[in-house]
Amino acid sequence: MKIARRKFDALVIGAGGGGLRSALQLAQADAKVAVVSKVFPTRSHTVAAQGGMNAALANVTPDNWHWHMYDTVKGSDYLGDQDAIEYMCRAASHLVIELEHAGVPFSRLDDGRIYQRPFGGQSQDFGGEQAARTCAAADRTGHAILHTLYQRNIRSRTHFFDEYFAIDLVRDAEGYILGAVVLEIETGEPLLIEAKTTLLATGGVGQLFRTNTNALINTGDGIAMALRAGIPVQDMEFFQFHPTGIAGKGMLITEGVRGEGGYLLNKDGERFMTRYAPHAKDLASRDVVSRAIASEVREGRGCGPQGDHVLLKLDHLGDEIIRQRLPGIRDMCLTFLGIDPAKAPIPVFPTAHYTMGGIPTNRHGQVVVPHGAGAEEPIPGLYAVGECACVSVHGANRLGGNSLLDIVVFGRAAGNHIIDFLAENRYHRPLDEASVEQALARLARWEEGGDGESVDQLREELQRVMEAYCGVFRDQATMAEGLAKVQALAARLPDARLADRSRVFNTARIEALELENLMALGLATVASALLREESRGAHSRIDYPERDDLRWLKHSLYFADGRVEYKPVRTKPLTVDSFPPKPRVY
Amino acid sequence: MQFLIYRYDPDDGREPRMQAYELDGFDAGAKLLDALLRIKAELDPSLSFRRSCGEGVCGSDALNINGRNGLACVTSLAELAQPVTIRPLPGQPVIRDLVVDMSQFYHQYRAVKPWLTVHDPAPETEYRQTPAERARLDGLYECILCGCCSTACPSFWWNPDKFRGPAALLQAWRFLADSRDQATAERLAELEGPYRLFRCHSIMNCTDVCPKGLNPTRAIGKIKQLMLKHLV
């Protein structure tokens, strides 16, 4: 098939913070860089991040990167790779300052420095007093960072393909990634973008679950593309449920509410977190707080007529502090609940939020796959950063404030590595036409006529199954049933048909392609979760309530054929001593 | 509930038209986006519109709702008179149904050079900015580029190629107002002439419709004042 073609040095797929930070690094190094995004860049989901970005600036409490590293390793329930975590925590302060210089309107302290608030899982001196490490622009930090990064990119003349949907990677027989086939949504025309390097920065897969804090665009497109290109996906069983989504609706209420002094209450008006985390209380790690809320509700201490949520109280902060530091939360409560949080508590419940797993990478953002016994090798020309990637800095549970940090740190690191790669690989490799045909076949499949199942129906069933069978608390029998159900849904997918086959801005076609991605990742998530017989971080098994470091201190790798392999956690940091696993109490 | 929605697909050869839909069973507190998603899922998969975050921060789903620009995801169904009449944002070329071509809007945004410009060498730490200096950016930086304001502005309808429009001018002021920015003279020079800034006649449609409660008219007034100050 004849298809339009463009050539760039570097292709970036996804225009959230990770994609834009790497594109900026590349554009500033005079590489010819293209950014493909299925939405206009500032509509990417980074825009919805609220609370802030961690860095040990020590503007408010004493702090250093090593303490931040300890907290992150502990928060990850020791599944995080300590070389990558050291790299991230060391880089954090410099990169926050760089963002401030680029124009991010951070909130300020009286002395003019960047405002920092306490967040969950943060401590001074390796587990001591609460730290205040999260740099914030009110409760709109993601918006502030994403818009600034977009602005810097237009200044640096990055080439944007806005509203283009990535279909599949193009690779050759030797395993080099040569670019991607994308679809121009406005015209329905496919386009081949050839590039010496391709970076996936497509975000997470929050839309797997019925109630989630995520945008409708978070369908795991890049992760599924990697899976289809023969790359395994790592640690997909670890999905973060944010403790405070608006009950029944899902909108995110930032951890910053508790950082500023808000706390949780059950129906008896009890501040129950003191029982679950006597020291950190409401600012324990997210997995801990989510389990506590779910337990309160299961044990009959939930609030409301159905007893199905708990309350987040912050009225004691006062109207002025709320308007100043949490204006977005105030707006959201007024809009979606008709509640003024300065007067009434917010009904909350754990809500699907963040994909800890994803495409396996090293700390340079290179995508890596198993190679022989225990070794790994990079896929030449392929990179991944941010929520779609698994470095892994978040391990089994991400700390609040570490995702904005992750995207900036590894976006930049991948950009730098790509610059080196481009210096050594000056020419485009010959195109592999068969691989292009394969990508186009994915598009052609949805041209099939006739009656069939609707995409909406299948997606809704998938989301309900994932929520019911692979939620906060898990066990063998429930997940085995869940896996069978997802497999049955996947088997029905080939019978789905599009009623709308217009070429022009056909959002039904995009949703069909997204459903294929969701389905593949639903299978990966349940299959990986079913096999992990322990409780670690966000993966909480009723039938295996303890962490089992002897058998399970390892990353899972799920392949498209359903096979699951394992690889060791990198427990050795770059320069400092390793933090060995120990019981995790808050 | 009754809905009347603008439909146009250049691919099907039919003229633009208003199509009626009827759908009930909405939760109390349901938003217009909930209705559009259900209409697409249950009644008509061919209805096209943009959407993403569903909570008023990404700016995707700006529409003309009962004659007034707003975001579908934060507009309560209960507040809307029936039939709820939904059209694409005014004054922009329609691509399909409720999806408009926002190229000119984005062009005007880029044209005000919406990035911090500092000529001095950067310090090792953050630029110091007092809470009061930072407070001047409140009501400016929160813009989500949804386009509700500029596409409600008669001056922008007439001169979308020459008048920057309220959204872009709000961003121009956002950087002029930033204590860190050092490009005041260049920014003001860029806005001189009869069109770029001065086509604003303070009609205030922009401020009236902004879903984030921002006030582009006031920002434009501030730019004009600053320009005057620089002249004398």
Side-chain angles (χ1 to χ4, degrees), chain A residues 53-65 67-68 92-94 96-97 109 111 113-117 122 124 131-135, chain B residues 126 128:
Chain A
M53 168 172 173
N54 294 339
L57 295 178
N59 285 357
V60 174
T61 55
D63 210 352
N64 74 55
W65 67 265
W67 301 349
H68 181 191
S93 293
H94 171 65
V96 167
I97 298 300
L109 297 161
D111 65 3
R113 290 183 299 167
I114 293 170
Y115 172 72
Q116 295 187 282
R117 61 163 57 109
Q122 297 181 348
Q124 303 176 43
R133 187 177 292 141
T134 304
C135 308
Chain B
E126 63 264 61
R128 297 293 175 106

Side-chain angles (χ1 to χ4, degrees), chain A residues 408-447:
Chain A
V408 174
V409 168
F410 294 104
R412 174 174 169 276
N416 282 333
H417 201 278
I418 289 170
I419 291 164
D420 292 345
F421 183 93
L422 291 174
E424 288 165 18
N425 296 269
R426 292 177 170 277
Y427 304 100
H428 287 86
R429 294 172 65 84
L431 188 67
D432 187 303
E433 299 288 346
S435 182
V436 176
E437 290 303 321
Q438 206 174 0
L440 289 171
R442 195 177 164 228
L443 264 184
R445 171 260 177 273
W446 289 103
E447 297 302 320

Side-chain angles (χ1 to χ4, degrees), chain B residues 12-86:
Chain B
D12 71 6
R14 295 167 67 187
E15 293 295 310
R17 64 202 176 277
M18 297 301 289
Q19 187 167 342
Y21 297 95
E22 195 161 347
L23 196 61
D24 289 298
F26 294 105
D27 296 338
K31 304 297 179 196
L32 179 58
L33 180 61
D34 300 319
L36 290 174
L37 289 170
R38 276 192 56 202
I39 289 171
K40 187 169 174 66
E42 297 170 28
L43 301 178
D44 188 349
S46 73
L47 177 64
S48 288
F49 51 93
R50 295 185 175 106
R51 82 289 180 275
S52 181
C53 76
E55 54 186 41
V57 295
C58 80
S60 296
D61 62 354
L63 299 169
N64 186 265
I65 305 156
N66 281 350
R68 189 185 154 84
N69 289 355
L71 299 179
C73 60
V74 296
T75 301
S76 291
L77 283 177
E79 294 164 9
L80 296 173
Q82 295 185 47
V84 181
T85 306
I86 307 166

